[in-house]
Amino acid sequence: MQLKCVAIDDEPLALQIIEKYVAEYPVLTLVNTFEDAISGGEYLKLNKVDVLFIDINMPDITGIDLVKSLADKPMIIFTTAYKNYAYEGYELEAVDYLLKPINNLRFGTAVQKAIGYYQYKHADTANEGDFLYVHSEYRLIKINIKDIEYIESMQDYIKIHMLGVAKPVLTLMPLKSVIEKLPASKFIRIHRSFVVARDQIRSIHNRKIKLTDIELPVGTNYTDFIKEWHK
C-alpha cells in the first residue's frame, strides 16, 4: 500500500514541517506541495491523490472552499491555527483536524487514521465487518463492531452505544446507512429506532428485549422479529 499525498499551505515553514513528517512514514509519498491554493486546486482536479493536507485560512481561497470544489475528494486532513473551523471540517467528513503548531505525535495519529480508513474502504470481503468508521466530534472515529451493544436512531443522527463506554458516539448518519455496513449475522433491527447486537440480547418478553442494563421496545413487527430471532 502506498498513499499519494499533496500539501497545500500558504506558509512555507508549515509545508516544510509536513514534508519532514511525511518522510517518516514509508507508506506516504508526498507528490507535490503548493503555497498557492488555486494552483493546488487545479492540480487536484487533474491528478488523483489519496491524502490532502490543507490549511484552512489562506488568502486566495479557503481550504474549506477548495475541498468543496473537488468532485473526487481525497482523504482530508485539515491544518490550521484556528479552532473555530472545526464544524466545517466535520461537514466535509475530514479524516482529522490538526491545530498548528503541529507536533510529530499528533501528526502520526492523523496518519494512522488515514491508513486505517483507506484499508477499511479497500478491504476484501474476507476482512469486512470487523470495524466501522464514522465521523464524530469533527474527526473520524474507528469503532470495533464487536464492541457495539446497540444503535439508536435520532432522525438524521444515530447514537452508537458500546460495551463498557458510558458516552455513546453520535454521528450524522441515517440508521439505514449504518445497517448496510453491519454484518447481518451479528445484528438485528428490533424497531424503527433500534438495532441491537444479537449476542447482547438476554431475554425477550412483552414486546421488549433486555440487554445487560437496558430494555428496548420491539416494533409492530413483533411476530416477524420472533421468527427472525429464532433462525
Side-chain angles (χ1 to χ4, degrees):
M1 178 180 64
Q2 196 70 34
L3 302 182
K4 294 190 291 185
C5 310
V6 162
I8 303 176
D9 199 308
D10 62 317
E11 300 176 17
L13 180 59
L15 288 177
Q16 291 173 20
I17 291 172
I18 290 174
E19 188 171 0
K20 175 185 175 184
Y21 288 168
V22 166
E24 297 178 10
Y25 293 86
V27 72
L28 302 181
T29 299
L30 189 62
V31 295
N32 221 324
T33 63
F34 297 91
E35 296 178 25
D36 167 16
I38 293 177
S39 298
E42 291 300 318
Y43 178 88
L44 291 169
K45 289 175 183 177
L46 298 173
N47 298 275
K48 182 175 177 59
V49 301
D50 300 300
V51 182
L52 173 61
F53 298 95
I54 183 166
D55 186 24
I56 291 179
N57 193 21
M58 292 182 285
D60 44 7
I61 179 174
T62 70
I64 296 288
D65 289 337
L66 192 155
V67 171
K68 286 180 178 178
S69 73
L70 299 176
D72 186 14
K73 295 179 177 58
M75 292 181 286
I76 306 298
I77 298 177
F78 283 116
T79 61
T80 182
Y82 302 94
K83 293 182 179 181
N84 57 315
Y85 287 105
Y87 182 73
E88 286 87 345
Y90 172 78
E91 285 189 314
L92 292 170
E93 298 189 341
V95 169
D96 212 339
Y97 179 91
L98 300 176
L99 286 174
K100 297 178 180 178
I102 303 166
N103 66 59
N104 200 343
L105 182 61
R106 186 64 184 83
F107 182 87
T109 299
V111 168
Q112 292 303 324
K113 286 184 182 182
I115 292 171
Y117 191 48
Y118 180 89
Q119 292 172 332
Y120 169 74
K121 292 195 300 180
H122 296 83
D124 58 39
T125 55
N127 293 321
E128 288 179 352
D130 293 334
F131 299 99
L132 178 69
Y133 281 82
V134 299
H135 287 84
S136 181
E137 296 182 356
Y138 316 128
R139 291 181 174 86
L140 191 67
I141 306 295
K142 180 181 181 181
I143 295 173
N144 195 325
I145 285 179
K146 69 179 180 62
D147 293 336
I148 298 174
E149 183 178 23
Y150 70 98
I151 302 173
E152 177 183 2
S153 174
M154 303 179 67
Q155 296 183 339
D156 294 333
Y157 289 83
I158 58 171
K159 281 185 177 180
I160 302 175
H161 299 261
M162 292 181 291
L163 300 168
V165 180
K167 183 181 178 182
V169 174
L170 179 67
T171 184
L172 179 61
M173 178 188 292
L175 189 61
K176 180 180 178 181
S177 294
V178 76
I179 289 173
E180 294 171 352
K181 300 176 184 294
L182 297 172
S185 61
K186 297 180 180 179
F187 290 85
I188 186 168
R189 187 168 188 171
I190 64 167
H191 187 275
R192 65 179 183 178
S193 298
F194 296 103
V195 171
V196 302
R198 290 174 179 267
D199 62 3
Q200 293 303 311
I201 298 177
R202 300 293 177 255
S203 63
I204 305 170
H205 184 65
N206 289 338
R207 293 185 176 272
K208 290 185 178 181
I209 68 165
K210 182 174 177 57
L211 306 183
T212 302
D213 297 312
I214 190 172
E215 283 190 339
L216 298 174
V218 177
T220 54
N221 59 338
Y222 182 74
T223 302
D224 292 338
F225 164 73
I226 293 298
K227 291 178 180 179
E228 172 66 17
W229 170 245
H230 286 295
K231 281 185 179 180

